[in-house]
Amino acid sequence: MNRILLLAGWCILLACASCGNHTEHKEESIQFIATRPLIKDTIVTKSYVAQIRSVQHIELRAQEKGYLQKIYVDEGQSVKKGQLLFQIMPQLYEAEVKKAQTEVEFAEIEYQNTHKLKESNIVSANELAMAQAKLNKARAELNIAQVHLQFTTIRAPFDGIIDRFLVRVGSLLDEGELLTSLSDNNRVWVYFNVPEVEYLNLFSNGGRQKHPVALEMANHALFPHAGQIETIEADFDNETGNISIRAGFPNPDKLLRNGETGNILIRETMQGAVLIPQKASFEVMDKLYVYVIDKEHRIRTREIKIAAELEDIFIVSEGLSDQDIILLEGIRKVKDGDQVEFKTEDPGHVIAGLKLPAQ
């Protein structure tokens, strides 16, 4: 009986050992998927936070003191150049004009009388000159009074859209008090900041200031009209390392308004870009790595530098060439120095299965 039990135990041990060897052999025979970097001319779209400004945006202020008598437009209304917007109570200024007119009439009579007396040699030429000067002064004061009266009516200096009112009918206005703003949105300026390195990449070849750009609006929709880079600020900001750039956009439908935000999109072609799938990389301590398979089929960790990032794709600036074989699948199942069996997939086929901008 004991011999039978002993024999059964040996059989069990042999079976377990056989299973272990079989499992171990199975693990060693796993075949990983690898590929190579793809070298390809690639269009990269870079995005920059932008502020939208009307080409003409001014404050409308009262030029005279007085009570606001009438508002002829509404907030948000489109107005034409010369259209009447506000009326300040004009009675005081009308009275000043009438007073000035009366003084002009008096000075004219006095001048005519003096002129007749001069012709009769009763008064001297100096007295006639003084009468003429008095008349000129009266006329100048009349002109000033008429200008003050004109300032009681406020008209649109250009076609535009009225902003929010800051006063109401009956308000007592001081000279220079802000009434509202007026924006001409037929065309807008879009300002954005570019880091020094990217500025050099964009403009180092010269003549790129009229480079076309696109605008992504706040709702992530693309503005239907293309813009152009028009001006570049003279100096870099020493604190941020950025330079301010202005692009101009037509705005025929008045969709864009002063103060909106968005993103400027600039398309740049990178010649001979080195492309790898993002899933082939991993991050350690803010650095990016891939597993490169050497000639002995051993895994080697290699740091890479990224020139640009696309959806699902990295463009590598340093660390890889098209001759390197990188591990594509199973990077969490291996470690540096492991020897692996692998199958290499065509890099063009791999990248084509990812999201790459159209050429």
Side-chain angles (χ1 to χ4, degrees):
M1 183 66 179
N2 291 335
R3 292 180 64 185
I4 294 173
L5 291 173
L6 183 61
L7 182 59
W10 277 108
C11 290
I12 292 171
L13 289 173
L14 288 173
C16 290
S18 175
C19 290
N21 290 336
H22 178 71
T23 303
E24 191 175 310
H25 177 71
K26 185 176 180 180
E27 288 178 355
E28 289 178 355
S29 66
I30 293 177
Q31 190 176 54
F32 291 90
I33 304 298
T35 189
R36 287 186 172 86
L38 177 66
I39 309 301
K40 182 180 179 66
D41 294 347
T42 306
I43 295 174
V44 177
T45 301
K46 295 189 175 179
S47 177
Y48 304 94
V49 176
Q51 293 284 334
I52 299 169
R53 295 287 182 263
S54 300
V55 172
Q56 291 192 91
H57 178 78
I58 63 167
E59 295 177 339
L60 295 177
R61 294 180 178 272
Q63 293 178 282
E64 295 294 343
K65 291 183 178 180
Y67 287 98
L68 183 61
Q69 187 177 51
K70 183 71 175 177
I71 299 176
Y72 293 92
V73 292
D74 199 0
E75 298 173 332
Q77 181 178 332
S78 295
V79 297
K80 296 293 184 181
K81 181 178 179 179
Q83 183 174 340
L84 184 60
L85 307 179
F86 300 95
Q87 174 71 62
I88 298 173
M89 193 172 289
Q91 282 84 349
L92 174 62
Y93 300 98
E94 289 172 344
E96 289 180 350
V97 169
K98 290 179 180 179
K99 177 183 176 182
Q101 287 173 335
T102 301
E103 290 177 352
V104 168
E105 292 171 359
F106 178 80
E108 285 178 341
I109 294 171
E110 188 173 10
Y111 172 77
Q112 293 297 333
N113 291 337
T114 305
H115 186 269
K116 290 179 181 179
L117 292 174
K118 172 63 178 64
E119 288 179 343
S120 302
N121 292 321
I122 298 175
V123 297
S124 65
N126 285 341
E127 288 187 59
L128 179 62
M130 290 179 64
Q132 179 68 63
K134 187 174 181 180
L135 175 59
N136 291 342
K137 179 182 178 183
R139 287 172 174 169
E141 289 177 348
L142 174 60
N143 288 337
I144 293 173
Q146 289 173 335
V147 169
H148 283 297
L149 178 60
Q150 290 176 0
F151 284 166
T152 62
T153 57
I154 300 171
R155 298 179 180 273
F158 52 80
D159 294 355
I161 298 174
I162 293 292
D163 198 4
R164 179 181 177 184
F165 295 146
L166 301 178
V167 293
R168 295 292 184 268
V169 172
S171 300
L172 178 60
L173 305 178
D174 288 327
E175 183 178 343
E177 186 165 347
L178 180 61
L179 307 177
T180 187
S181 299
L182 179 65
S183 298
D184 178 4
N185 294 329
N186 284 306
R187 194 165 174 275
V188 295
W189 285 335
V190 182
Y191 293 88
F192 60 102
N193 296 321
V194 174
E196 184 176 356
V197 173
E198 296 183 21
Y199 160 80
L200 293 173
N201 291 338
L202 284 171
F203 302 108
S204 59
N205 60 346
R208 294 284 301 280
Q209 288 196 21
K210 295 298 182 182
H211 187 68
V213 295
L215 175 65
E216 182 186 45
M217 297 180 289
N219 63 350
H220 304 295
L222 196 64
F223 185 61
H225 303 282
Q228 284 189 332
I229 292 176
E230 296 179 341
T231 63
I232 302 174
E233 203 170 84
D235 301 319
F236 277 88
D237 188 319
N238 291 331
E239 294 183 359
T240 64
N242 294 336
I243 194 167
S244 181
I245 297 177
R246 189 189 81 200
F249 283 81
N251 189 32
D253 300 323
K254 310 295 190 301
L255 179 61
L256 301 179
R257 300 291 181 102
N258 186 73
E260 281 188 77
T261 60
N263 292 287
I264 283 290
L265 306 178
I266 299 179
R267 290 162 62 90
E268 180 183 4
T269 299
M270 300 186 70
Q271 304 289 340
V274 180
L275 309 179
I276 67 168
Q278 288 190 18
K279 66 181 181 179
S281 65
F282 58 96
E283 188 175 345
V284 179
M285 300 293 290
D286 295 329
K287 293 183 178 180
L288 209 60
Y289 298 88
V290 294
Y291 282 135
V292 177
I293 304 174
D294 64 16
K295 294 180 180 180
E296 298 178 352
H297 291 202
R298 291 195 179 276
I299 297 293
R300 301 300 178 191
T301 304
R302 186 180 298 178
E303 183 182 356
I304 58 173
K305 302 291 185 183
I306 302 303
E309 182 177 345
L310 308 175
E311 191 170 3
D312 297 335
I313 297 170
F314 281 136
I315 299 179
V316 180
S317 60
E318 296 179 23
L320 289 175
S321 72
D322 59 343
Q323 299 302 313
D324 291 315
I325 299 175
I326 60 173
L327 190 63
L328 181 62
E329 304 283 356
I331 61 175
R332 297 185 182 276
K333 298 178 181 180
V334 298
K335 62 181 183 298
D336 192 82
D338 285 353
Q339 191 171 37
V340 296
E341 294 297 327
F342 64 92
K343 179 178 71 172
T344 304
E345 289 195 358
D346 178 68
H349 176 74
V350 171
I351 294 297
L354 303 173
K355 297 175 183 175
L356 184 66
Q359 302 303 301

